Amino acid sequence: MKLEKKIFEIVFHARGGQGAKTAAELLAQAALAEGKFVQAFPDFGPERTGAPMKTFVRVSAEPILTHEPVVDPDMVVILDETLLGTIEVTKNLDENEAMIVNTTSDREAVRQKTGYAGNVYPIDATGLSLEIVGEPRPNTAILGKMVKISEIVKLENLVDVFREKYTGKIGSEKTEKNIRAIEEAYDSL
Amino acid sequence: MINKNKNLALTGGAAAAEALKQINPDVMPVYPITPQTPIIETFAKFVADGEADTEMIEVESEHSAMSAAVGAQAAGVRAMTASSSQGILLMAEILPIAAGMRLPILMLVSARAISAPINIHCDHQDVMFVRDSGWIQIFSENAQEVYDNVFISLRLAEKVRLPAMVIMDGFTTSHSVENIEILENSAARSFVSEYQMKNSLLDFENPKTFGPVSLPNSYFEFKRQQIEAMDGVIGEIGGIFEEFRNISERTYDIFEEYKIDDAERVIVVAGSTAGTAKSAVDELREQGEKVGLLKIKLFRPFPHKQIAEALKNVKKIAVLDRTVSFGSQAPLYMEILNSLSKLHITNYKLQSFIYGLGGREILKEDIKKVFVGLEKDEAEGIRYIGLK
């Protein structure tokens, strides 16, 4: 999958507090660093920890004019597998598009739960971040998988942006661990 | 590759704060609770980090925020604030005082719905509620326009000595990350230059009175002067746009004509929906349909004559208001109707649409349906987009 369409559109499904907005903004900053045009914005609702929420990203080689929410995504990213089967995550997602799910289940199990017969990419992002970072931060790890599948930004640019934004905030040791989680997710099968 | 110092991806609110940092206003009274936006928190961080030396005053209400801005600006310095929704309504008493005292206060507004019922999402009811308060009102389509409008409006406000609101769509612009290109600090600072107030309260050599009693023998003349000041905006803004273009290479006008030269059907709309409408126009144009967009920027003063000129050959026009005037027609529709009445022609169709109240989503497909409806000559009367 490549940036073939004029504008590549992503919907993140998560629960409040899981960092979907942070992930979307990191992706946007990495795309910006490549000279691309971006939008990153949550589906605005009352922000409550644990409540289902959506956030959107657009990446484009051309300026983006529209301000509508993403209604026809090219990729859906699900940060919390308990959302599967409870909210509609496959709307307008064609079979040649992609769904990335943070889960310990396999592809077939996700397909059964969602009824989506297209490209499903399961990744245990929570497990990876617990193992490498020591904290459940699936939002950063899953970016590695997203970038691998979508190719909308280069992994090195994502990593550079993460390092630049987070070293001051969480220290270099934790930053480098998060980066390792991103890279392992990128390399995972 | 891009220039990391100039090309940023920021929310509209953070873009406004970036402009404020470069302007470095003297005083910023704020009431930072809901309904607030990233503007205040981002700017407060700049001040805390020493990147701006603005005196921030945390006040006890929005009413006090505007009152403190009036006091500071009258004393002869640059005062600015930001607000939204109920906050604007609580300020409403002080807004005409700022205008009547001819104080060029700048306010960043994230336009949002008003209560009841309670709703924090985007529409234009708050800014339309205060449209007759004597403030200049300028709408922004995206984060870039927010940033640019801060500079342009400050210069304009100080030139005509009237307060100005830079309006962005709540959430859709204020909380959404988009690309923006910022000015070099030196260019930004020289564009706004050092502020020298013409009549300041603290000019002890030439003492002045602000806001005295003015009885029937003089009040009317004060209002007449305010009318003339507002009427002067359109004459002054062109030169400011031109100067801004010289430092930014971005071209603006009092409204934007998007593919309307040969258009048979045109939508008129303000704010972020103009961007969505542009993408709808582009797609319909690819199918050979002669459609276009007139994007409102300057709402107060309203450029009736210029808009009439721009629309004079368009046969079918839809006006999209993100607000409502209970018991009458929506405000933007009324302004366009007023503009067209100056043409003394009658063979056009003008249709009023209300959309997006309380943050109801507005999609590109909705806009396309408006164009289709115009083609089919659907029934007259106000129509509602996206109403369940």
Side-chain angles (χ1 to χ4, degrees):
Chain A
M1 181 180 275
K2 288 217 170 70
L3 184 49
E4 286 163 357
K5 277 182 49 172
K6 255 201 213 154
I7 303 178
F8 193 89
E9 299 180 294
I10 305 163
V11 178
F12 284 82
H13 292 277
R15 290 186 185 276
Q18 288 182 323
K21 194 164 161 266
T22 304
E25 292 192 7
L26 277 167
L27 208 55
Q29 297 295 343
L32 171 80
E34 296 180 4
K36 296 189 170 106
F37 294 88
V38 296
Q39 283 180 350
F41 55 105
D43 186 30
F44 307 107
E47 288 176 20
R48 289 163 297 155
T49 302
M53 59 87 70
K54 277 191 284 188
T55 196
F56 306 116
V57 177
R58 289 193 174 96
V59 177
S60 168
E62 304 287 321
I64 304 167
L65 295 171
T66 188
H67 288 110
E68 66 179 346
V70 172
V71 288
D72 186 4
D74 300 290
M75 174 178 273
V76 166
V77 183
I78 298 150
L79 272 176
D80 189 317
E81 65 180 324
T82 65
L83 293 170
L84 295 178
T86 60
I87 55 163
E88 194 177 20
V89 293
T90 57
K91 195 175 177 189
N92 294 332
L93 190 68
D94 299 335
E95 289 192 5
N96 62 350
E97 292 168 336
M99 174 191 286
I100 296 179
V101 189
N102 173 26
T103 179
T104 50
S105 305
D106 63 12
R107 178 170 288 143
E108 275 316 307
V110 172
R111 281 188 174 144
Q112 271 184 4
K113 260 188 195 166
T114 57
Y116 176 63
N119 302 312
V120 172
Y121 299 93
I123 168 112
D124 182 13
T126 303
L128 261 178
S129 71
L130 276 172
E131 183 194 318
I132 299 169
V133 188
E135 291 171 12
R137 303 249 182 254
N139 60 327
T140 47
I142 210 164
L143 283 172
K145 192 73 175 174
M146 279 194 62
V147 167
K148 173 75 171 281
I149 304 302
S150 68
E151 301 179 32
I152 50 169
V153 295
K154 291 200 173 75
L155 179 68
E156 65 211 58
N157 291 324
L158 178 72
V159 164
D160 283 351
V161 163
F162 189 86
R163 191 173 280 128
E164 189 188 319
K165 300 270 172 197
Y166 280 86
T167 304
K169 284 184 188 169
I170 60 174
S172 66
E173 192 191 334
K174 210 174 259 185
T175 300
E176 295 308 317
K177 283 180 175 171
N178 270 283
I179 288 170
R180 252 183 59 215
I182 293 171
E183 288 170 343
E184 290 218 7
Y186 183 90
D187 291 332
S188 71
L189 294 172
Chain B
M1 285 305 262
I2 58 158
N3 178 343
K4 282 175 96 169
N5 297 319
K6 278 181 74 179
N7 299 94
L8 308 174
L10 295 176
T11 63
E18 199 69 36
L20 292 180
K21 179 174 80 179
Q22 292 181 309
I23 292 167
N24 197 19
D26 299 289
V27 175
M28 189 149 174
V30 294
Y31 185 58
I33 70 162
T34 300
Q36 266 294 354
T37 62
I39 303 167
I40 303 278
E41 63 179 78
T42 311
F43 187 69
K45 186 171 184 305
F46 291 146
V47 173
D49 291 345
E51 294 184 71
D53 55 14
T54 302
E55 183 175 348
M56 297 207 57
I57 311 172
E58 278 192 50
V59 291
E60 68 278 13
S61 77
E62 306 274 359
H63 188 279
S64 301
M66 188 48 64
S67 301
V70 164
Q73 186 80 45
V77 301
R78 276 186 178 134
M80 302 181 187
T81 189
S83 191
S84 189
S85 183
Q86 302 306 116
I88 305 269
L89 269 58
L90 190 55
M91 285 178 178
E93 186 192 17
I94 312 302
L95 295 180
I97 295 176
M101 285 164 60
R102 305 288 303 278
L103 301 173
I105 296 165
L106 195 72
M107 174 154 69
L108 288 310
V109 180
S110 306
R112 297 205 229 174
I114 54 182
S115 295
I118 297 170
N119 176 299
I120 57 168
H121 295 276
C122 178
D123 68 30
H124 297 158
Q125 288 186 80
D126 53 359
V127 288
M128 288 301 162
F129 194 91
V130 295
R131 70 184 193 263
D132 293 332
S133 60
W135 283 57
I136 295 164
Q137 292 183 315
I138 188 161
F139 279 92
S140 317
E141 177 188 329
N142 50 36
Q144 183 72 62
E145 283 196 12
V146 170
Y147 174 86
D148 293 344
N149 279 341
V150 172
F151 290 97
I152 290 163
S153 303
L154 179 67
R155 281 283 306 276
L156 179 64
E158 290 176 357
K159 181 76 187 175
V160 300
R161 288 185 287 145
L162 286 174
M165 286 177 208
V166 173
I167 302 164
M168 70 191 87
D169 276 359
F171 289 105
T172 313
T173 304
S174 65
H175 291 62
S176 295
V177 173
E178 293 184 287
N179 300 64
I180 74 159
E181 187 180 318
I182 64 168
L183 301 169
E184 301 283 350
N185 282 336
S186 55
R189 287 191 182 133
S190 84
F191 183 76
V192 297
S193 67
E194 286 292 313
Y195 182 49
Q196 285 290 330
M197 192 175 180
K198 196 172 171 196
N199 295 309
S200 89
L201 191 62
L202 295 187
D203 178 359
F204 299 122
E205 303 297 313
N206 303 287
K208 304 285 187 318
T209 300
F210 279 76
V213 171
S214 167
L215 295 174
N217 65 353
S218 58
Y219 182 89
F220 208 162
E221 283 66 37
F222 276 112
K223 292 298 120 180
R224 172 69 189 170
Q225 287 183 352
Q226 239 179 289
I227 292 165
E228 282 173 5
M230 192 59 104
D231 287 348
V233 164
I234 290 172
E236 295 293 347
I237 200 172
I240 297 170
F241 282 142
E242 179 67 21
E243 267 186 66
F244 191 77
R245 191 176 63 82
N246 291 338
I247 60 165
S248 68
E249 294 174 22
R250 290 188 287 277
T251 306
Y252 292 115
D253 207 336
I254 47 179
F255 54 86
E256 182 182 342
E257 298 174 49
Y258 190 76
K259 304 188 179 178
I260 68 173
D261 274 352
D262 63 339
E264 290 159 0
R265 287 167 286 156
V266 166
I267 281 178
V268 181
V269 72
S272 64
T273 307
T276 311
K278 283 177 183 172
S279 62
V281 166
D282 288 350
E283 289 185 16
L284 291 172
R285 281 268 169 188
E286 277 174 25
Q287 297 163 21
E289 303 209 30
K290 289 189 173 174
V291 296
L293 166 79
L294 190 145
K295 180 180 89 184
I296 298 297
K297 276 185 73 97
L298 197 59
F299 187 78
R300 281 293 179 271
F302 197 86
H304 294 105
K305 217 175 84 186
Q306 293 81 353
I307 284 185
E309 186 62 28
L311 292 176
K312 70 179 177 195
N313 295 319
V314 182
K315 293 287 174 261
K316 294 174 176 175
I317 301 161
V319 184
L320 274 55
D321 275 272
R322 201 163 194 168
T323 189
V324 57
S325 179
F326 300 102
S328 184
Q329 305 277 357
L332 183 54
Y333 172 80
M334 294 289 265
E335 300 296 355
I336 299 300
L337 185 64
N338 181 326
S339 304
L340 295 177
S341 73
K342 298 188 187 321
L343 294 174
H344 305 292
I345 54 169
T346 51
N347 61 340
Y348 58 82
K349 175 191 163 68
L350 184 64
Q351 178 67 53
S352 174
F353 289 84
I354 309 273
Y355 75 99
L357 298 188
R360 175 65 49 85
E361 63 188 17
I362 172 98
L363 306 178
K364 188 169 58 187
E365 290 305 316
D366 296 323
I367 308 272
K368 287 184 180 174
K369 280 183 204 156
V370 169
F371 280 122
V372 171
L374 276 180
E375 178 66 19
K376 286 199 292 201
D377 281 327
E378 285 176 350
E380 303 275 326
I382 299 172
R383 302 179 71 83
Y384 299 88
I385 302 172
L387 185 68
K388 288 177 193 162

